[in-house]
Amino acid sequence: MLPKIKKIILWLVLLEMVLVVLFFLSFRFGWSSKKIEVVFCDVGQGDAMLIKTFTGQDVLIDGGPGDAVLSCLGNHLPFYDRSLDLVILTHPHQDHLGGLVAVLDKYSVNSIIASGLDIAVGNATGKELGQKIKEKNIKTTSAVAGQVVDFGQGIKMEILFPLSKKNDSKKDLNDISIVSRLVYKDNEFLFMGDAGIETEEVILLSNKNVSSDVLKVGHHGSFYSSSENFLQAVLPKVAVISVGENNKFGHPSNLVVKRLERRGVRIFRTDQDGDIVLISDGVKIYDKN
């Protein structure tokens, strides 16, 4: 009788192991659903966005000013997932690159897309990040409009700005921010980095398609971003403002908030809503908050 019980227990253990493997595969390869998830991390006064695709890719846009990004990744990625397929560093300011040093210590990163400027141009943290990238031999490319990262099954990331790989280091670093657009079938997410009105006008003059369901508002909702002309071209249904509570810059500008409200745009703010999770099935977008 005892051997029979042991045999049953063995079969139950094996069944449990199979279920765990299937559970892992369903998360990693999206067998359970064909949806993408975009997480706007609450990292204080900074930017960090995590994109998870049902085709198995994890993409991080910026890393915020410090280690808070690790909590966001830990909360929204399975405990066993310690790799990022792509990191996009929009520009080398502390509130965008600071957390990437810790990310490279904890996660394996396959490739990085950065602006044409040396990552180390920003500050000491930028120098440390640049050194880690070299030590880990991570493939790094400079962003230029027209680049497309194809994730398969209708999911792609388009680079809209900068128009050239040659960036003027004397310009405000915000004005060389990478602007990217995530497309999944009928849905689009536009990530503006810290781009201001000058960059918005350049993008519009280049005749790039910027229409998007979701707008990650440029420069934390600064007065110097999100012009009426640009919002008219984007026509967002949802806007996300990544901003720190009671920050010294007064972000977001009341003027920008009013512009969005007049258009009937639904506004999310990380200082008020914490991590913001938006999910797309390629037809509609809904929030998980």
Side-chain angles (χ1 to χ4, degrees):
M1 190 69 180
L2 192 59
K4 188 175 181 180
I5 293 174
K6 287 183 176 179
K7 191 173 183 181
I8 292 172
I9 293 173
L10 178 61
W11 277 109
L12 288 173
V13 170
L14 289 173
L15 177 61
E16 185 177 357
M17 291 174 64
V18 169
L19 290 174
V20 168
V21 171
L22 290 175
F23 182 73
F24 166 80
L25 292 174
S26 70
F27 267 99
R28 185 63 186 167
F29 298 104
W31 291 353
S32 58
S33 64
K34 291 192 174 183
K35 297 175 183 177
I36 63 172
E37 190 171 303
V38 181
V39 182
F40 298 84
C41 300
D42 178 14
V43 292
Q45 183 66 15
D47 274 8
M49 285 78 63
L50 171 66
I51 300 166
K52 301 191 296 179
T53 76
F54 64 86
T55 50
Q57 291 92 357
D58 298 324
V59 178
L60 180 65
I61 302 178
D62 289 333
D67 292 355
V69 64
L70 294 180
S71 295
C72 183
L73 294 178
N75 289 336
H76 298 282
L77 288 175
F79 71 91
Y80 50 77
D81 191 348
R82 290 291 176 174
S83 64
L84 295 168
D85 298 273
L86 174 64
V87 169
I88 297 176
L89 173 58
T90 60
H91 65 293
H93 270 161
Q94 178 69 25
D95 57 333
H96 293 253
L97 66 75
L100 293 181
V101 173
V103 169
L104 262 60
D105 284 337
K106 299 289 186 179
Y107 290 81
S108 170
V109 174
N110 185 51
S111 63
I112 294 174
I113 296 177
S115 65
L117 289 178
D118 187 343
I119 291 172
V121 76
N123 52 31
T125 309
K127 293 179 181 178
E128 183 180 359
L129 178 61
Q131 185 61 37
K132 282 187 179 294
I133 291 170
K134 289 180 181 178
E135 290 173 359
K136 294 176 179 292
N137 196 28
I138 301 172
K139 178 185 176 183
T140 304
T141 58
S142 296
V144 65
Q147 287 177 338
V148 176
V149 181
D150 192 340
F151 299 119
Q153 298 201 42
I155 311 168
K156 61 182 178 179
M157 180 71 80
E158 304 170 339
I159 303 298
L160 305 184
F161 190 85
L163 301 185
S164 168
K165 289 185 179 181
K166 296 180 180 179
N167 287 309
D168 185 357
S169 60
K170 295 180 181 179
K171 291 185 69 173
D172 187 326
L173 294 182
N174 294 330
D175 290 330
I176 56 96
S177 286
I178 295 173
V179 175
S180 58
R181 184 170 176 260
L182 176 67
V183 180
Y184 175 36
K185 294 184 179 178
D186 295 334
N187 293 151
E188 307 91 11
F189 296 74
L190 184 62
F191 303 96
M192 294 300 298
D194 274 359
I197 292 175
E198 179 182 333
T199 298
E200 293 172 358
E201 290 176 350
V202 171
I203 293 172
L204 293 180
L205 287 172
S206 70
N207 294 316
K208 301 294 181 186
N209 184 3
V210 295
S211 63
S212 300
D213 300 286
V214 178
L215 170 66
K216 199 296 294 183
V217 175
H219 201 187
H220 321 290
S222 162
F223 172 82
Y224 301 102
S225 64
S226 305
S227 68
E228 291 282 10
N229 285 343
F230 193 70
L231 293 178
Q232 180 59 35
V234 178
L235 293 175
K237 300 181 181 69
V238 176
V240 179
I241 303 174
S242 184
V243 64
E245 186 176 8
N246 300 321
N247 65 87
K248 65 181 180 181
F249 306 102
H251 294 156
S253 163
N254 287 332
L255 179 61
V256 170
V257 172
K258 292 296 182 185
R259 285 175 188 163
L260 294 166
E261 289 177 341
R262 283 197 298 269
R263 293 176 176 275
V265 179
R266 185 180 183 189
I267 302 172
F268 290 96
R269 296 171 47 162
T270 56
D271 62 334
Q272 297 177 353
D273 303 305
D275 290 353
I276 297 155
V277 182
L278 299 180
I279 298 171
S280 166
D281 60 10
V283 177
K284 63 180 180 179
I285 294 172
Y286 54 96
D287 70 275
K288 197 176 176 181
N289 291 40

